[in-house]
Every structure is written in structure tokens, then in C-alpha cells.
């Protein structure tokens, strides 16, 4: 099966399950919790969980579906809380929860999703020992995501962030959840330590590559495709790998740090960055992560799931939105 | 052992464990998470978990200590987030997390505690099947607490809350966590459904009594003892059982709904409420819950733990702060 086809089919399955479980609960708080969760998305993390289960034990992906949902629910909880902190007003083409409702409701809606994620793990059809381990991994991952988000916010007050710090922050914020998505799938399917370790590392490295590409997309893609404001990182002077490499090369991006940045100015910034070799350097860092991610899969024999996981890593840095 | 002595000894144990696990982590976010958690408190929920374990299986309380800590950590997470929503500036004699740091950090600090709570459950020394069940109960409980807090906030915009709605809200906000504290202790110690059900109901009913008494304390106790502003509920026109019963008796408390309420005015309100029989009626409701809570313990043979649990219920409504 082609990756695109696989991801689409799986996203549909995940959408249907989430909708049936959380899409029509009556209370206002449940509506606020379901708002972003049931607003679509590529559902990459649950797909990773299901592929990881299958690569360990062919045919086990159905039994881990609740855990796959847990990963998407966890991701959504972090988005709901992050949107409050970052003051973002739209996501996935809908208003953010604190915009549509209010901040207290958005805090609680995120907290509800948080609880549902852990409940979902317990609902997987797997060995209890594996489920306890999966809960421990998810808990540890949530902790790391919080630390990453806190680090990301602290970067806003600094102008001396180095690439190493950036990659560590991105690893906590994005890498760890992909690592958990893959590791939990593997654990619940009965994987051994070597398999689970490989899946964890694959997810971590792929997730970091994903986030680096996300920053490039923020700069390059037009808003209609990405569903986000174009070049918001540039406008806000955010410490992305692009900005950090630019600073290292003596390129001054501070002139672009303003609310009303025109498309011409953004294009000019891109030209400057390209000419200084910064876009290439960032792409190279992403490519390096992709290469290392794929190497981790060597512990598995060749199979369709291995090919699809490898293609997901490629897709992470080739997507344009 | 006398209850007071037992609770003190146990609070010390809990304090020591929490301090050693979370009290000296280096990061700023970890400091914010530990701030309220390591600021003392009566540690009633973990004591309940340990007593519940012991009543099911003598000597098992040590093996459930991590889960007992999880209950305190969960309680603290809800306080940190509630304080943001309610705009409270002090608790347990220290500034609230969002006051000492800021709102984004407080949201994240609560989220960190949330993760730690689930991680702690997995660290208990118990059967994996029991641990999975404990995780499921804790998750469901967090969900209920969120719903209760949301309901509580929605009451602020209403003046037609009836006693039944109030008791249900309080059951979600406070009862469910005591129910979980007791049930999780029982489950991890290997209790059967009848024992666990009894412990759950004991916790729920005791927790509701606890909260009713909390509202009475808010009105009656002086600030120095309770550590909170005196009569804040009265000042804010909060829908407590006192306010709801007052309305039913045609007593108008709206004249006390103002910022600068004097001690004389508070005393006058108390006199009015006493004369109308409202304080007695509220006490009677609490007493009824106490009676039913103690009755649930009939499934256990007489033992020290049973006596202590019963005394905890009494203590919940006899405490003055």
C-alpha cells in the first residue's frame, strides 16, 4: 500500500473512533474537549503506534487502537494548553478552545483530554505488564513535553540559544511524543527491549526532523496550505534553527521582527537566508536526523511496516504543510 | 494509635517522600511544580490510601506508598489549575504558583504534577492487573474533578442551583478523589469488588461531608486558623449549601455580597443564618453523609484501620480548619 493511501485510510479510522467516543457528549466541557480533537488532522501519531505494533507482531495493530487514540488525545491536550500560553487564536482551521470558550474552560478541556489519554491506554487489548509500562512511558513523555514547552517559552527571553539547545528542546516537545507513539505500539504488541528501543529512537529522531521541517514550512509555505500565519516565527523573532543558524552566520533578522510583515519582505528574507546557505544547512540537519532514524529500523526484517515507517520519516521532511 | 497521632506521623512520612522525590530538582518548572506540593498540608488522601490498603491486607500499606503519593500529587495538580481559574493568590500559607511565577508556568506546573501522579501509580508494588485498574480509576477521577470544577464555575452565573446539584458538584470535585484514594488503596492491596466498592463509597460520602464542612469553615473560622480569607464565599455570593438553603428559606444574603465585608457584618450574617436554622440544616446534611459513610465499612471486620477510617470521617466534619 502506498503511504499516502495508508495514512488516509488510518486517519479515517481514527476520526471515526474519536468521533464515536468523544464527538457527541452532551456537556459543555466535553464539547470544548472534543472541539480540536474531532477537527481532523493527519493523525500521524496513532498511525505510528499501529505500524509499530504490526512491525513487532503482524496483525496486532487493531488491539492497540485505544493506545493509538491515546497518543492523538495526548497531542491534542498539549495543543489546547499551548494555545493558551502562546495566545494563538486558530488551529486546524477552527478557533482555539480558549478563543471559542474561555481560558478556564480551555485549561479544564486540556485536563479532560489528559485523563482520557491515560484511560485509553488501560483499554488496549494487551498484557497488563505491558500496559503498566505504556502508562509509565506516556507519563514520562508528558513530563518531557511540558519541560520542552517551558524551555521553548524561556528561549523567547534569550538571544544566545545554540543549535544543541534548540535540538534538545525540540526533542522534548516533539521527538518524545513520536518516540512514545512508536515505543508504546511496540511494547503493547509484546516487543523485546531491542525492538522497543529501536522504535523509540526511530520516533525521537523522526520527530525532531518533523519539527525542523515545521519551522521551515512556517517560513516558506503560504498560509492557505499550512493553515497558519505565514512566517509567524520570523515576525515574532522566534529561536528556530533558521534563526539560530542565521545569527551564527552574522545575518541580522531583527529587521523582520514586526507585526505587519509584507509578502515581499518575507520573500526577501527567504532570498537572504538561501543565499547565506542557511536553508540548506537547516535541511541538512533534518536530513541527518532522517538518515539516523531509518538506520534504527535495521533491527527489523524487511516488511511492509518497515517500509511505511521509513517513508513516514521521509514524508516528515518532504511535506510542504 | 490515636487518629491525630496517626495522621501526623503519616503526614511526616508523605512530606519526606515528596521532598526527596520532587523537592530539589534543578529546573525552574520543576521548582514551580514542587512549590505547593512540598508546602505541607494534612496529607489526608495518602493516609486514606494507606489505611485502605491495610484494612484489606494487614501490612500492605508500605507497598502502596507511591500510589498514596499519587493521590496527593493529583490533589495538588487540581489546586494549581483551580487557583489560576479562581484567581486565588495564596494557599497553604504560600503564594499560588501563578502568582509566584506566571500563568503559563502554572498551567505547565499542573501538567507536570498530572504526569507524575500517573507515573507514581505505576511504581506501586502490586499486581499489574491491579495497577492498570488503579490507573483507570485515577484517570476517570481526574475527568470527574474537571467536570465538577466546570460545574462549580457555571454555578457562579446562576441563582437557581438546588441542593441536589450542589451535592453532585461537590461529589465530583471532592468526593471522587477521596473515593479514588480509598478504592486505589484497596485494589492495590488485592481487595475484592465488595471491599473496593465499600471503600469507594466510604471515600465518596466522607469527601462530600468534608466539602460541606469546608464551606461552613469558610464562613465561621477566622482567617488565621483556616489560612484563607474569612467568609470569601459569602462575599463572592458563592452557591454553597449555606447559600442554597438560605435562599430556600427566603433569607436574602445578597446584601453581604461585597468586597469590604466587616467582621461585624459577617457575625450578623452568621446570627441570621443560625436563627433561620440554616447552619443546623447544613450540619445535618453533613452528618447524614457521615452516617452513611461509616455504614459502608460494615463489610470489614473490626480492626484498628476500620476505627481510624471511621474517625477520619468524624474528623472531616468536626475540624474547625
Amino acid at each position: 500500500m502506498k503511504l499516502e493511501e495508508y495514512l488516509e485510510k488510518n486517519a479515517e479510522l481514527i476520526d471515526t473512533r474519536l468521533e464515536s467516543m468523544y464527538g457527541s457528549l452532551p456537556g459543555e466541557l466535553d464539547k470544548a474537549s472534543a472541539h480540536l480533537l474531532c477537527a481532523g488532522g493527519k493523525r500521524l501519531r496513532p498511525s505510528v503506534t499501529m505500524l509499530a505494533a504490526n512491525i513487532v507482531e503482524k496483525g496486532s495493530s487493531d488491539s492497540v487502537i485505544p493506545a493509538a487514540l491515546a497518543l492523538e488525545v495526548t497531542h491534542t491536550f498539549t495543543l489546547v494548553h499551548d494555545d493558551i500560553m502562546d495566545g494563538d487564536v486558530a488551529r486546524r482551521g477552527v478557533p482555539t478552545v480558549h478563543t471559542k470558550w474561555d481560558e478556564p474552560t480551555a485549561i479544564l478541556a486540556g485536563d479532560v483530554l489528559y485523563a482520557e489519554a491515560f484511560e485509553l491506554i488501560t483499554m488496549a487489548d494487551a498484557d497488563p505488564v505491558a500496559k503498566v509500562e505504556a502508562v509509565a512511558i506516556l507519563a514520562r513523555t508528558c513530563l518531557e513535553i511540558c519541560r520542552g514547552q517551558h524551555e521553548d517559552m524561556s528561549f523567547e527571553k534569550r538571544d544566545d540559544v545554540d543549535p544543541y539547545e534548540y535540538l534538545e528542546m525540540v526533542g522534548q516537545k516533539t521527538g518524545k511524543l513520536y518516540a512514545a507513539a512508536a515505543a508504546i505500539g511496540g511494547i503493547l504488541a509484546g516487543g523485546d527491549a531491542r525492538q522497543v528501543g529501536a522504535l523509540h529512537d526511530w520516533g525521537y529522531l523522526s520527530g525532531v526532523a518533523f519539527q525542523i521541517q515545521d519551522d521551515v514550512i512556517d517560513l516558506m509555505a503560504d498560509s492557505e496550505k499550512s493553515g497558519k500565519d505565514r512566517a509567524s516565527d520570523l515576525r515574532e523573532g522566534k529561536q528556530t534553527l533558521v534563526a539560530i543558524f542565521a545569527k551564527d552566520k552574522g545575518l541580522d533578522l531583527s529587521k523582520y521582527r514586526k507585526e505587519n510583515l509584507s509578502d515581499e519582505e518575507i520573500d526577501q528574507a527567504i532570498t537572504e537566508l538561501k543565499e547565506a546557505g542557511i536553508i540548506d544547512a537547516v535541511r541538512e540537519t533534518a536530513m541527518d536526523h532522517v538518515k539516523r532514524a531509518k538506520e534504527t529500523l535495521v533491527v527489523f526484517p524487511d516488511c511492509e511496516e518497515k517500509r511505511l515507517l521509513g517513508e513516514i520519516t521521509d514524508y516528515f521532511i518532504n511535506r510542504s504543510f
Side-chain angles (χ1 to χ4, degrees), chain A:
Chain A
M1 198 185 288
K2 281 174 75 174
L3 176 66
E4 202 177 292
E5 202 184 320
Y6 173 81
L7 289 178
E8 248 174 56
K9 200 190 62 146
N10 229 39
E12 222 169 278
L13 170 94
I14 300 295
D15 282 343
T16 309
R17 295 289 181 110
L18 290 174
E19 184 62 38
S20 79
M21 290 182 81
Y22 305 112
S24 49
L25 296 173
E28 200 58 27
L29 179 59
D30 290 311
K31 283 197 178 76
S33 307
H35 173 66
L36 191 58
L37 184 66
C38 296
K42 293 189 281 295
R43 315 301 193 188
L44 294 168
R45 292 160 193 82
S47 289
V48 163
T49 304
M50 293 170 72
L51 279 172
N54 262 348
I55 204 174
V56 164
E57 178 75 33
K58 194 88 185 165
S60 68
S61 65
D62 276 4
S63 58
V64 304
I65 289 176
L69 299 179
L71 268 298
E72 186 68 20
V73 173
T74 302
H75 177 53
T76 309
F77 129 65
T78 65
L79 296 179
V80 172
H81 280 186
D82 283 4
D83 284 340
I84 305 172
M85 297 176 220
D86 301 341
D88 288 333
V89 296
R91 182 185 290 275
R92 292 183 182 168
V94 296
T96 49
V97 179
H98 67 98
T99 312
K100 195 172 155 95
W101 283 270
D102 51 36
E103 276 194 31
T105 304
I107 293 175
L108 286 174
D111 290 344
V112 164
L113 293 167
Y114 210 149
E116 285 167 349
F118 282 97
E119 189 175 50
L120 280 163
I121 296 279
T122 68
M123 291 158 73
D125 178 16
D127 179 63
V129 175
K131 290 207 266 189
V132 171
E133 213 176 320
V135 167
I137 290 177
L138 187 64
R140 189 45 45 181
T141 301
C142 289
L143 219 149
E144 295 285 350
I145 294 172
C146 292
R147 288 188 178 140
Q149 167 70 2
H150 189 257
E151 193 77 346
D152 196 12
M153 292 192 302
S154 79
F155 284 0
E156 284 170 26
K157 295 167 207 139
R158 294 175 49 192
D159 64 352
D160 62 343
V161 178
D162 65 37
Y164 176 78
E165 288 177 295
Y166 169 84
L167 289 173
E168 178 152 322
M169 179 276 283
V170 155
Q172 289 180 310
K173 247 191 109 163
T174 308
K176 286 284 181 181
L177 192 55
Y178 276 106
I184 287 174
I187 282 172
L188 294 177
D192 60 33
R194 190 162 139 271
Q195 293 173 318
V196 172
L199 287 166
H200 174 277
D201 293 350
W202 171 84
Y204 185 83
L205 292 162
S206 301
V208 171
F210 177 94
Q211 190 57 50
I212 296 173
Q213 178 65 8
D214 228 42
D215 294 346
V216 174
I217 290 171
D218 181 84
L219 186 66
M220 316 285 263
D222 50 62
S223 303
E224 246 172 81
K225 266 196 176 173
S226 73
K228 296 172 190 163
D229 285 342
R230 187 176 172 208
S232 64
D233 293 343
L234 193 64
R235 247 184 287 126
E236 293 162 16
K238 218 167 173 232
Q239 300 281 331
T240 65
L241 205 52
V242 173
I244 294 164
F245 281 172
K247 205 183 83 323
D248 284 354
K249 288 241 175 179
L251 207 70
D252 181 20
L253 294 180
S254 66
K255 58 179 177 286
Y256 300 113
R257 192 172 184 163
K258 56 182 185 180
E259 266 297 311
N260 52 344
L261 202 59
S262 70
D263 275 344
E264 289 70 36
E265 286 172 306
I266 295 170
D267 291 337
Q268 187 193 325
I270 292 172
T271 306
E272 265 190 68
L273 289 162
K274 276 188 177 162
E275 281 173 0
I278 284 154
I279 304 295
D280 282 345
V282 169
R283 288 283 302 171
E284 218 167 280
T285 309
M287 287 299 294
D288 173 57
H289 281 78
V290 165
K291 186 168 158 282
R292 285 158 59 206
K294 287 169 154 183
E295 282 167 6
T296 64
L297 298 178
V298 73
V299 305
F300 297 104
D302 287 339
C303 61
E304 201 195 2
E305 286 74 23
K306 183 171 167 174
R307 177 180 58 78
L308 287 169
L309 284 175
E311 285 180 24
I312 284 182
T313 314
D314 287 331
Y315 164 71
F316 277 6
I317 65 151
N318 292 328
R319 72 207 165 93
S320 55
F321 66 96

